[in-house]
Every structure is written in structure tokens, then in C-alpha cells.
């Protein structure tokens, strides 16, 4: 019997791809029982590595991908952003992926499988930092995919130009975060390069207590998560990756102008804006300028959030490992 092959495309940023992992694994499991082989074509295929029921993963940019592979099977492109459940129903991105592939409006947790080598290397790295610095380790991601562009103001002071979704931390807020936690934690910052490859970084002269973590292999960044003492981030790759690993450490997500309803996880501590967010649709025709205007200032975060996070982490009551 000749088995049918399917090729499921999932593009976009790392976070969006992670959202699809558990859903596609479940879909592939069901199809395998029917004699159908499921492959994945993705902008970040490494996020699917180790998932038991997925046959192969391919990079979207692979030469002759269609001619040599896809042409022999069925090409499927689930697009949750332009589905009404996402843009009008306030459904989680995971639920919409599941609805499009499995026909069920149900949440299936994202799933990331790390190898033993990835885990042991990450653990050794974090333990060495704790030994050298005699502090705990905090992992942060202050900028979304288009955030972190640093420009001087009229006085020559460095300022972060906000991404237009207003989800990224401003540099002033980031300074306050660093001041709040630097005595008890080594602060490792996942830069925007890990999410979008735009090359923007926080200048070390401006934030000397932050250690940027940049690696072309995003799995090495993800592997650090189980071994740090806490995560603080905006809507970014990091909170999706924490969920994909089962949230092994306390994860605090500070939401600005993007949708917590569509993208947050119940197991995280989510700080949402007091003012209403005007949810901008993705990949659906709309007036972008309208949403930029309405959401301006949503990432002017309340500094009380940092006090609450510090209280929950209890840095003075736990011994440094």
C-alpha cells in the first residue's frame, strides 16, 4: 500500500512556530494511524525536532523543496491569523491551529523536546555562571521581533524606539528592571536577534549589568530555560518556549499592545494593560496606522509590576545554588 504524504507549512517567528508544535504532533499521530505520513515545512524547523510522529522537517528556503518533495504529496498551509476565531473570537493561537488542522477548538500545549546533550550543556553553562557570580540567574527578553532599536534623543541620551505594536520594554523600564534585580541575579537577555534576526541589541555601555545571549541556534537558547531561576519578558519567543517546555521555572510576561487573549498561557503570571488593547489583525487587510495610534503608550508599564515579580521570586529567602 502506497502511503500518502502531507507537508504542513508553518512560517513566521519562533513563537508562532512553537505554538503549532503540539497541534501538529497530535495531527501527525492521528494521520499515522491512517497510513499518512506528515512532514513539516517551516521557517524554524528545529522547533519540531524530536517530536515522535512527525516524519521530516524542512526549512522553507531549502532549494528544490517543492520539486523534489512537496510535489509528491499534499501541501497544507493552516493560517490562524486570518481565521475569524483568532481575529474576532479572541481564541488562542494554539486553538486556532488545532481548529484548522484537527477541526477542534481545543487547547493542545506546545511541545519542545530537548536532547540530553542540549540540556547538559545548558545546565553546565548556567551552573558556571552561578559559581562565578555567586548569584541566581534571571533570563529576560525585553524586545519583540521589531523592538530594541536604540536611538539617541535630542540630549544624546540613548532611548529605545518602540516597535509599532508597543509590546517591547522601553529602555527606561529596562533600567528599572535591572536596578531591581541586579544585586540578586545575573541577568541574561535574549536579544531580538533570537526572534527575528534584525540585529538590534541593547548597548552594553547603557546597560552594563545585562549579559546578552545571542546564538544562531535558537534551541541552545531555549535549553537554558529549565536551569535559570526565573523569566521576565514581553510578548516574545521566550514565553512561548517556556510554555513549550512545560513552564519549568516561574515565568512573568508583561503585556503591552498585543493580545494576551490570543497568545498568553495560564501557567504564567501575566500582567495585562489597564487600558483596552486594540487588537491588530495579522495577514488580514486593515489600516495599520489606526492600530499604531490607538495602542500608543501601552508599553508604559507600571513599575509596581517589578515589585510584585520580585516579591514572588523571593530572592532574599532562597539560597544561591
Amino acid at each position: 500500500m502506497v502511503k500518502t504524504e502531507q507537508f504542513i507549512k508553518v512560517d513566521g517567528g519562533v513563537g508562532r512556530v512553537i505554538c503549532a508544535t503540539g497541534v501538529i504532533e497530535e495531527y501527525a499521530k492521528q494521520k499515522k494511524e491512517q497510513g499518512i505520513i506528515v512532514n513539516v515545512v517551516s521557517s524554524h524547523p528545529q522547533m519540531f525536532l524530536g517530536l515522535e510522529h512527525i516524519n521530516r522537517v524542512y526549512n522553507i528556503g531549502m532549494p528544490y523543496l517543492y520539486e523534489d518533495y512537496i510535489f509528491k504529496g499534499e501541501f497544507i498551509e493552516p493560517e490562524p491569523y486570518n481565521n475569524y476565531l483568532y481575529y474576532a473570537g479572541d481564541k488562542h493561537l494554539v486553538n486556532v491551529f488545532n481548529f484548522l488542522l484537527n477541526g477542534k477548538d481545543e487547547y493542545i500545549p506546545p511541545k519542545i523536546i530537548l536532547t540530553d546533550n542540549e540540556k547538559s550543556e545548558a545546565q553546565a553553562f548556567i551552573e558556571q555562571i552561578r559559581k562565578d557570580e555567586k548569584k541566581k540567574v534571571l533570563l529576560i527578553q525585553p524586545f519583540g521581533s521589531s523592538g530594541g532599536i536604540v536611538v539617541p534623543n535630542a540630549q544624546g541620551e540613548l532611548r529605545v524606539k518602540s516597535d509599532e505594536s508597543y509590546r517591547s520594554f522601553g529602555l527606561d523600564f529596562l533600567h528599572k528592571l535591572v536596578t531591581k534585580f541586579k544585586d540578586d541575579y545575573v541577568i541574561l537577555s535574549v536579544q531580538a536577534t533570537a526572534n527575528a534576526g534584525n540585529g538590534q541589541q541593547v548597548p552594553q555601555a547603557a546597560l552594563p549589568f545585562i549579559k546578552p545571549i545571542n546564538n544562531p541556534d535558537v534551541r541552545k537558547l531555549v535549553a537554558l530555560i529549565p536551569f535559570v531561576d526565573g523569566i521576565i519578558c514581553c510578548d516574545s519567543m521566550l514565553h512561548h518556549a517556556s510554555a513549550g517546555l512545560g513552564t519549568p521555572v516561574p515565568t512573568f510576561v508583561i503585556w503591552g499592545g498585543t493580545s494576551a487573549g490570543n497568545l498568553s498561557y495560564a501557567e504564567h503570571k501575566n500582567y495585562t494593560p489597564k487600558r483596552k488593547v486594540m487588537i491588530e489583525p495579522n495577514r488580514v487587510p486593515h489600516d495599520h496606522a489606526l492600530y499604531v495610534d490607538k495602542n500608543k503608550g501601552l508599553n508604559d508599564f507600571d513599575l509596581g509590576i517589578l515589585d510584585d515579580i520580585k516579591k514572588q521570586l523571593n530572592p532574599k529567602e532562597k539560597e544561591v545554588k
Side-chain angles (χ1 to χ4, degrees):
M1 173 178 150
V2 177
K3 292 186 178 180
T4 302
E5 281 197 75
Q6 293 182 342
F7 296 82
I8 301 177
K9 178 186 174 184
V10 184
D11 62 359
V14 181
R16 170 181 154 98
V17 170
I18 291 172
C19 280
T21 52
V23 170
I24 295 180
E25 170 72 348
E26 177 61 28
Y27 177 84
K29 177 182 178 182
Q30 295 177 16
K31 291 301 178 181
K32 183 183 288 187
E33 294 170 354
Q34 302 169 22
I36 299 173
I37 296 172
V38 173
N39 307 286
V40 172
V41 179
S42 180
S43 48
H44 298 281
Q46 65 271 46
M47 292 296 96
F48 295 91
L49 297 177
L51 295 179
E52 179 183 358
H53 301 291
I54 294 172
N55 180 53
R56 293 283 189 275
V57 291
Y58 302 96
N59 192 296
I60 286 175
M62 180 177 173
Y64 303 109
L65 179 59
Y66 169 77
E67 291 79 5
D68 292 347
Y69 298 96
I70 295 174
F71 180 74
K72 302 172 184 177
E74 179 185 9
F75 183 72
I76 300 172
E77 187 173 3
E79 180 43 76
Y81 285 163
N82 59 28
N83 184 273
Y84 74 98
L85 288 176
Y86 183 84
Y87 65 75
D90 203 30
K91 294 292 184 177
H92 198 284
L93 186 62
V94 169
N95 289 55
V96 186
F97 268 123
N98 195 20
F99 177 76
L100 294 173
L101 283 174
N102 297 312
K104 298 178 180 179
D105 175 12
E106 296 175 358
Y107 177 79
I108 297 177
K111 190 174 184 180
I112 299 174
I113 304 297
L114 297 173
T115 67
D116 289 341
N117 284 343
E118 287 171 332
K119 288 185 282 189
S120 61
E121 181 180 323
Q123 184 176 19
F125 175 75
I126 296 299
E127 287 181 350
Q128 188 63 50
I129 290 177
R130 287 198 185 98
K131 180 180 178 181
D132 293 343
E133 303 287 342
K134 296 181 173 54
K135 295 180 181 180
K136 299 178 190 178
V137 179
L138 190 65
L139 187 60
I140 70 171
Q141 187 168 5
F143 308 124
S145 62
S146 59
I149 300 174
V150 180
V151 293
N153 63 13
Q155 290 73 42
E157 300 169 326
L158 293 173
R159 291 291 181 267
V160 169
K161 182 179 179 182
S162 176
D163 60 278
E164 289 193 331
S165 68
Y166 297 102
R167 61 170 163 160
S168 297
F169 297 172
L171 193 56
D172 289 337
F173 184 80
L174 189 53
H175 267 292
K176 296 295 192 303
L177 187 157
V178 170
T179 301
K180 182 72 66 176
F181 292 97
K182 66 182 177 64
D183 292 338
D184 301 294
Y185 292 88
V186 176
I187 302 173
L188 306 180
S189 178
V190 177
Q191 302 296 341
T193 48
N195 198 8
N198 64 12
Q200 302 300 333
Q201 297 182 27
V202 181
Q204 285 301 285
L207 292 169
F209 295 102
I210 284 182
K211 297 180 182 294
I213 300 294
N214 294 303
N215 197 304
D217 184 353
V218 71
R219 289 182 62 90
K220 290 185 180 295
L221 296 174
V222 171
L224 299 177
I225 290 173
F227 306 105
V228 301
D229 297 286
I231 290 171
I232 303 175
C233 59
C234 65
D235 169 21
S236 60
M237 175 275 290
L238 193 54
H239 86 284
H240 293 291
S242 176
L245 292 172
T247 307
V249 298
T251 300
F252 304 89
V253 189
I254 307 174
W255 292 86
T258 49
S259 172
N262 290 135
L263 299 165
S264 67
Y265 300 93
E267 60 267 36
H268 297 165
K269 175 64 176 178
N270 293 288
Y271 298 91
T272 55
K274 295 179 181 178
R275 177 159 68 87
K276 182 176 179 175
V277 178
M278 190 171 181
I279 307 303
E280 182 172 10
N282 293 288
R283 307 190 187 190
V284 178
H286 67 281
D287 183 356
H288 173 65
L290 173 66
Y291 296 87
V292 172
D293 179 65
K294 294 293 185 181
N295 289 331
K296 186 175 183 180
L298 278 171
N299 63 341
D300 293 336
F301 303 122
D302 183 350
L303 294 178
I305 292 173
L306 298 178
D307 293 326
D308 188 63
I309 292 174
K310 187 171 185 179
K311 181 179 179 181
Q312 292 190 59
L313 286 174
N314 294 320
K316 298 298 184 182
E317 297 179 11
K318 297 179 182 178
E319 295 181 357
V320 177
K321 296 180 180 178

